[in-house]
Amino acid sequence: MKRLLFTIIIGLAATSLFAQTTTTDSVKTDTTKSRRTRIRLGFGDDVAQVNINDTTRRASKAPGFSFGLTFTRFDIGLTTLNDNGSFTLSPTNSFLNYRSWRSSSIGFDVLQLGYRFSSSFRFYVAGGFDWTNLRLRNNITIQRGGNALTYTQDDVQYSKNRLSATYIRIPISFDFRTHDDADGRRFHFVVGPDLGIRISNSLKQESSQGDTKLSGDYHFAKFRYGAAARIGYGAIGIFAKYYFNNMFDNSPAQDGLRQFNFGMSVGW
């Protein structure tokens, strides 16, 4: 799974770099205007249009709305827990001790509605999916249902003990963009709220005794809200997200336990 994700990222990055290079070369070398075929290159809304055998290149865009399907802002990063302002878990939450370099946050957007004020600034609301995966260190089983988040201590050595949640994500973003440079790329600075609606959660365990995957209510927040920021150049960037509400609902012992995600992003 990890190799597949990294392969996707490398492929997307290579495609973007190739597309942008192709756009620039077309501007420099094509001198005739015998055809009107248009090619759309890039990711999401931030694309360049060129005319084949035409030196015309659109350097700016007029104000206006945009809406449609997309595949952009492909995020792959790490999930970190913040326990009442500390990145070290308190004794109450120590049963959630996790492998920090193997606890992931993965997501992408598939739908977008936006308004472009100028070529340097736009606003958009998007919809997509987001996965949170906590790789637990302890040999425990988080219990489904109940009045609060509980667990049992097991006599099994787990090679994988993963607690996961899937959300519909709804970023509301303000995208500040520089003008294209000589290579046809630009810097992006994006900030805004990030909302999420939980659609499922599960526990997957692997050991010498076999594999188990259980779905049910593991008390992940049904609705989460926070802030997100992105910075990037061309099609590649980094992201960070912090959620203001508790990671788990109806679990007083986990009050103040919140989620922070950061990592790499492809596409705008």
Side-chain angles (χ1 to χ4, degrees), residues 26 30 35-38 49-56:
S26 298
D30 293 341
R35 289 186 291 176
R36 293 288 183 178
T37 305
R38 291 187 181 276
Q49 283 192 342
V50 296
N51 291 333
I52 299 299
N53 294 328
D54 192 340
T55 58
T56 301

Side-chain angles (χ1 to χ4, degrees), residues 164-169 196-201 216-224 247 249:
S164 304
T166 303
Y167 283 84
I168 294 175
R169 73 180 195 183
I197 302 172
R198 192 194 75 194
I199 54 178
S200 69
N201 42 188
D217 183 8
Y218 288 97
H219 291 277
F220 278 98
K222 294 181 177 64
F223 176 77
R224 66 184 186 185
M247 189 173 185
D249 282 340

Side-chain angles (χ1 to χ4, degrees), residues 191-205:
V191 295
D194 191 272
L195 311 178
I197 302 172
R198 192 194 75 194
I199 54 178
S200 69
N201 42 188
S202 64
L203 178 69
K204 183 174 183 179
Q205 297 173 318

Side-chain angles (χ1 to χ4, degrees), residues 1 5 77-79 98-100 102-106 130-136 161-166 202 220 247 259 261:
M1 180 64 178
L5 290 173
L78 300 177
T79 290
Y98 60 98
R99 302 181 187 277
S100 56
R102 303 184 72 180
S103 295
S104 61
S105 171
I106 301 170
D130 190 272
W131 290 267
T132 293
N133 301 295
L134 278 180
R135 291 292 294 270
L136 303 177
N161 194 2
R162 187 183 69 198
L163 186 63
S164 304
T166 303
S202 64
F220 278 98
M247 189 173 185
Q259 185 177 348
N261 301 334

Side-chain angles (χ1 to χ4, degrees), residues 16-33 36-42 46-61 119 178-186 233-234:
S16 174
L17 292 175
F18 173 77
Q20 291 167 343
T21 300
T22 302
T23 299
T24 303
D25 290 344
S26 298
V27 172
K28 291 181 179 178
T29 60
D30 293 341
T31 57
T32 63
K33 298 185 178 181
R36 293 288 183 178
T37 305
R38 291 187 181 276
I39 297 178
R40 183 173 291 270
L41 306 172
D46 189 22
V47 299
Q49 283 192 342
V50 296
N51 291 333
I52 299 299
N53 294 328
D54 192 340
T55 58
T56 301
R57 180 173 184 272
R58 190 168 67 182
S60 63
K61 298 180 179 179
S119 61
T178 63
H179 294 293
D180 290 357
D181 60 17
D183 294 324
R185 302 183 183 93
R186 64 174 74 188
Y233 173 69

